Amino acid sequence: QKEVEQDPGPLSVPEGAIVSLNCTYSNSAFQYFMWYRQYSRKGPELLMYTYSSGNKEDGRFTAQVDKSSKYISLFIRDSQPSDSATYLCAMKPGGSYIPTFGRGTSLIVHP
Amino acid sequence: GAVVSQHPSWVICKSGTSVKIECRSLDFQATTMFWYRQFPKQSLMLMATSNEGSKATYEQGVEKDKFLINHASLTLSTLTVTSAHPEDSSFYICSADRQGTNTEAFFGQGTRLTVV
């Protein structure tokens, strides 16, 4: 079993839809949880990070962490075609700089 | 957010030649930088951790003599793929953490290497 599991998709939604992206993990030591967006042939761009459990909102994006279930989510409201990209979750224990990445979910938002 | 610049963004080289990729933190100092490799539709695979002023730490299965890493200053790390072969063709990405933080990594734009 991989430490971080993420469905690769693709996930195809119409413009304006609410998108839910998810990751599960097995390492209970993970404390920091990040979401990255990666456009084709580009490096990942940090979207959100949260510490421990709870919700965090930034514009159209909401990150949610449920440590009891070892489950994290990223919600995108009012999705736009420009949101089409691969979304990678990443997480790491406290005190460590090296995150463990999911394989990414490919999102396609069609007009 | 912090900026990490990676150069070149793409390179094509002949089999047997060496290629150098640069990773620079533009607006912060990075004592530690990371080099990743990414295959199509796959996650990032950590190759090595680059530490300023000391030898890099390589992940299991990564040949240190083939992938030479130098971290000569707090803002620059280089990855040299020596004697490149077609199987080395991949997307290489660097990242850096701001000194003293333990939160987010900032990534370079990536380098698409094609060995012909």
Side-chain angles (χ1 to χ4, degrees), chain A residues 31-36 46-52 56 90-101, chain B residues 1-2 28 34 36 95-107:
Chain A
Q31 297 280 351
Y32 294 89
F33 304 90
M34 290 77 76
W35 285 95
Y36 289 86
L46 179 69
L47 282 178
M48 307 273 290
Y49 79 88
T50 54
Y51 172 72
S52 195
K56 187 173 184 178
M91 46 199 80
K92 58 186 179 182
S96 169
Y97 290 100
I98 304 175
T100 300
F101 285 86
Chain B
F28 67 99
F34 305 93
Y36 294 85
S95 77
D97 273 287
R98 275 185 286 209
Q99 192 176 16
T101 69
N102 190 30
T103 52
E104 63 266 43
F106 296 93
F107 285 85

Side-chain angles (χ1 to χ4, degrees), chain B:
Chain B
V3 178
V4 175
S5 176
Q6 189 173 339
H7 178 80
S9 56
W10 60 272
V11 58
I12 301 174
C13 70
K14 289 185 177 180
S15 225
T17 61
S18 295
V19 173
K20 181 185 283 189
I21 303 169
E22 291 187 349
C23 181
R24 293 180 186 274
S25 55
L26 297 185
D27 53 355
F28 67 99
Q29 293 183 327
T31 54
T32 305
M33 291 185 175
F34 305 93
W35 288 96
Y36 294 85
R37 185 172 179 176
Q38 188 177 35
F39 294 101
K41 299 187 186 299
Q42 297 294 319
S43 187
L44 301 169
M45 184 190 80
L46 180 66
M47 298 175 65
T49 303
S50 169
N51 301 296
E52 187 268 336
S54 64
K55 291 183 179 180
T57 303
Y58 290 82
E59 295 300 299
Q60 191 173 9
V62 178
E63 298 176 60
K64 62 180 182 181
D65 294 329
K66 181 164 188 61
F67 299 101
L68 299 178
I69 291 173
N70 183 276
H71 195 153
S73 77
L74 284 171
T75 59
L76 173 64
S77 176
T78 61
L79 168 68
T80 301
V81 183
T82 62
S83 187
H85 289 103
E87 57 265 32
D88 297 325
S89 299
S90 191
F91 193 56
Y92 293 87
I93 313 174
C94 70
S95 77
D97 273 287
R98 275 185 286 209
Q99 192 176 16
T101 69
N102 190 30
T103 52
E104 63 266 43
F106 296 93
F107 285 85
Q109 307 95 312
T111 298
R112 172 75 56 191
L113 170 64
T114 303
V115 185
V116 297

